[in-house]
């Protein structure tokens, strides 16, 4: 059973009576984010405000060039991504979820972008946790919103915990077997995995690109010191333009596993993800009418 419980300015996600993650949405924050995201031993797979980049927060969303405004850094001239409300919270079943609305507010107080984001957590064992992330970005007024190419962007962005980063002894691997920043940076792949040792546990976290996303399979932004992001906008010359009444929808699955990329069955779990999408698509098709058919 997946339970989602509000405690102050956090949503606590519990799966099978064990805490898996917390979503932080307080008004004092520069942006909402998911931290911690726990491995089977209870330690976090992601880092919050590490000393080298204090503006990195677990699993989060940000962009430094939104109509000329910075929603990446956390400085006097930066914008804020502000929690507006939770549209829906589903708790107590095999799938728990919440949907949140956020405003991207510039330093001058203007709402330059809005988003609706949904997290859906599956009731799976501690050594194979799954959650889905969807975000829909909208132009709030009758003018387009431009997301300029930049490496200071992540929709979403994951900051790995020490132990999973290449710098601290971990390994990055993509679907082609390319490794670490040297092999994976800018390379297109339907998934990427980071694994290593946290405490005494060999474990990892993988991100799966949804096949309906733009530029699938996405090119990845990776750094050996910890960031991982499906940043397709960085690797193109023109900006991403979100037109009025034409929102940008992005979807991903996250897989938190024990073992490395092989022991954690990352490639197989990604194929299961694709198969689940095919089953949904086939169930959405109208049934063929038996009228007029001959046996």
């Amino acid at each position: 059973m997946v339970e989602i419980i509000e405690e102050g300015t956090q949503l606590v996600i519990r799966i099978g009576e064990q805490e898996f993650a917390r979503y932080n949405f307080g008004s004092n924050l520069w942006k909402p984010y998911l931290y911690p995201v726990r491995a089977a031993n209870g330690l976090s797979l992601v880092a919050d405000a590490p000393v080298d980049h204090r503006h990195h927060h677990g699993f989060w969303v940000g962009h430094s060039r939104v109509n000329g405004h910075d929603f990446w850094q956390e400085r006097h001239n930066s914008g804020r991504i502000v929690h507006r409300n939770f549209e829906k919270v589903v708790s107590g079943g095999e799938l728990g979820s919440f949907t949140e609305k956020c405003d991207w507010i510039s330093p001058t107080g203007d709402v330059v972008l809005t988003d609706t984001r949904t997290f859906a957590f599956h009731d799976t064992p501690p050594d194979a946790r799954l959650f889905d992330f969807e975000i829909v970005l909208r132009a709030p007024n009758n003018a387009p919103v431009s997301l300029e190419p930049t490496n200071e962007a992540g929709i979403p962005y994951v900051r790995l915990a020490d132990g999973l980063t290449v710098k601290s002894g971990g390994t990055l691997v993509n679907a082609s077997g390319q490794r670490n920043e040297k092999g994976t940076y800018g390379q297109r792949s339907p998934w990427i995995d980071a694994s290593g040792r946290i405490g005494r546990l060999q474990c990892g976290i993988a991100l799966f690109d949804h096949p309906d996303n733009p530029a699938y399979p996405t090119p990845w932004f990776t750094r050996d010191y910890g960031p991982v992001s499906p940043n397709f906008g960085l690797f193109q010359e023109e900006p991403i333009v979100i037109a009025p009444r034409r929102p940008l929808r992005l979807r991903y699955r996250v897989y938190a596993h024990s073992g490395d990329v092989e022991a954690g069955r990352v490639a197989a779990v990604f194929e299961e993800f694709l198969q689940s999408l095919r089953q949904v698509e086939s169930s959405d098709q109208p049934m063929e009418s038996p009228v007029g058919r001959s046996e």
Side-chain angles (χ1 to χ4, degrees), residues 37 45-46 58-61 119 129-133 154-160 164 172-175 187-195 204-211 213 216-222 226-231 251-257 261 266-267 269-271 273:
V37 177
L45 296 157
V46 298
F59 183 101
W60 57 291
V61 170
F119 289 81
R129 300 290 198 205
L130 294 170
F131 71 87
D132 296 309
F133 175 71
I155 306 173
Y157 197 85
V158 176
R159 178 59 195 254
L160 301 170
L164 298 190
L172 286 169
V173 183
N174 67 16
Q187 297 299 311
R188 291 186 179 275
S189 177
W191 58 261
I192 197 163
D193 180 75
S195 65
I205 186 168
L207 281 76
F208 299 163
D209 192 18
H210 193 288
N213 283 342
Y216 175 89
T218 186
W220 293 86
F221 176 84
T222 56
V228 176
S229 176
N231 190 337
R251 288 175 285 176
Y252 304 92
R253 174 164 286 186
V254 181
Y255 174 45
H257 59 87
V261 65
V266 173
V269 174
F270 176 75
E271 290 303 318
F273 170 55

Side-chain angles (χ1 to χ4, degrees), residues 10 47 54 81 85 91 117 128 157 162 177 193 201 214-216 220 234 255 259 279 284:
Q10 294 182 324
R54 290 293 191 186
I81 303 174
N85 66 279
S91 176
R117 58 186 72 179
Y157 197 85
D162 284 345
D193 180 75
L201 181 67
Y216 175 89
W220 293 86
L234 169 61
Y255 174 45
Q279 291 171 352
D284 287 341

Side-chain angles (χ1 to χ4, degrees), residues 55-73:
H55 57 283
H56 290 183
H57 301 288
F59 183 101
W60 57 291
V61 170
H63 201 291
S64 69
R65 300 181 68 187
V66 182
N67 278 4
H69 298 291
D70 171 29
F71 293 91
W72 187 257
Q73 299 288 343

